[in-house]
Amino acid sequence: MWYRTLLLFVFTLLLSFSGGAQEIAVLKYKGGGDWYANPTALPNLIRFCNRTIRTAINDKPQTVEVASPTLYQYPYIHMTGHGNVFFSDEEALNLRTYLMAGGFLHIDDNYGMEPYLRKELKKVFPEKELEELGAEHPIFSQKFQFPDGLPKIHEHDGKRPQAFGIFQEDRLILLFTFESDLGDGWEDPEVHNDPEEVRQKALQMGANIIQYAFKN
């Protein structure tokens, strides 16, 4: 628990120097996967959150590398991509420490990263397994209600959307959204030409994730 107390102290101190602005970041990882996918997604989600759940997140998300000590500046880290993911031992340890200390990682499979990700997460948490979240988990009932759980945004292989998590005690510290593709729904409307109601579902679910991460 002292790790989490330390992270909360550091984050509070950083807020005092930044005039109260909140920061979130995209995780830059190795392995050849396109960590930079969906460039308009997080900026759109930030604007939606600032408008609907009264956050005060800086409009431009930051980029942080897995082994960087600046990882601890962010209460929420977003990770996405289509392909390979690789964590070195140093990166796995830093990511583990960040999450155990109170950080939150949301991984959104943009199609194709799931088998690589599962392998690399075993380096981070060899003693833990991804657990599927039921629709009763509080992440689905923050500002916006999702009584059926994770919404389906893009079809991909036509499988049902699934939300998986890794927990420390009872706290969700890592969320992996699979066969949903929330990030595509956050992008500018002309990128995927999704119906507005589909985009709204994606943005609302994203706001719930941000709200949960900031509160827990």
Side-chain angles (χ1 to χ4, degrees):
M1 292 302 292
W2 71 269
Y3 278 119
R4 188 177 184 196
T5 302
L6 176 61
L7 180 60
L8 289 172
F9 171 76
V10 171
F11 182 57
T12 302
L13 186 63
L14 288 164
L15 286 183
S16 70
F17 286 114
S18 61
Q22 297 162 316
E23 297 273 3
I24 63 176
V26 176
L27 191 67
K28 180 180 179 181
Y29 55 87
K30 298 172 185 173
D34 54 340
W35 61 268
Y36 45 82
N38 295 352
T40 66
L42 273 191
N44 284 336
L45 179 61
I46 289 169
R47 285 190 286 270
F48 183 83
C49 288
N50 288 346
R51 187 174 73 250
T52 62
I53 61 172
R54 299 183 181 275
T55 48
I57 307 171
N58 282 345
D59 290 344
K60 183 178 180 181
Q62 303 301 306
T63 298
V64 62
E65 297 188 6
V66 187
S68 173
T70 62
L71 196 70
Y72 299 85
Q73 295 180 15
Y74 310 105
Y76 168 95
I77 301 289
H78 182 71
M79 178 179 177
T80 192
H82 294 84
N84 194 25
V85 176
F86 175 79
F87 297 146
S88 68
D89 290 344
E90 177 189 7
E91 290 170 333
L93 178 59
N94 196 49
L95 185 56
R96 177 190 177 93
T97 304
Y98 161 78
L99 293 170
M100 298 285 279
F104 186 92
L105 176 63
H106 172 213
I107 307 168
D108 188 45
D109 191 341
N110 205 358
Y111 192 59
M113 75 185 303
E114 184 260 349
Y116 308 103
L117 176 71
R118 284 183 178 272
K119 177 173 62 71
E120 295 307 294
L121 285 181
K122 294 306 294 182
K123 296 179 181 177
V124 183
F125 291 109
E127 79 286 11
K128 296 181 184 290
E129 299 289 341
L130 285 167
E131 303 175 33
E132 186 166 5
L133 273 60
E136 71 282 356
H137 190 276
I139 206 165
F140 300 117
S141 56
Q142 297 290 306
K143 168 70 173 180
F144 302 100
Q145 301 297 311
F146 288 88
D148 298 323
L150 190 67
K152 183 78 168 174
I153 305 304
H154 279 185
E155 284 303 316
H156 291 309
D157 291 328
K159 298 176 182 177
R160 67 182 179 89
Q162 292 177 279
F164 297 97
I166 287 178
F167 293 82
Q168 173 61 17
E169 297 175 344
D170 292 329
R171 185 176 73 91
L172 177 66
I173 59 176
L174 182 150
L175 173 69
F176 174 46
T177 47
F178 178 61
E179 281 289 330
S180 171
D181 211 340
L182 293 172
D184 275 5
W186 302 342
E187 287 230 80
D188 287 347
E190 62 273 15
V191 176
H192 300 289
N193 296 310
D194 290 322
E196 184 56 26
E197 62 268 25
V198 172
R199 290 192 72 245
Q200 285 300 307
K201 283 183 181 180
L203 289 164
Q204 289 172 1
M205 187 65 233
N208 274 14
I209 296 168
I210 294 284
Q211 190 171 43
Y212 180 88
F214 280 18
K215 287 165 52 178
N216 295 275

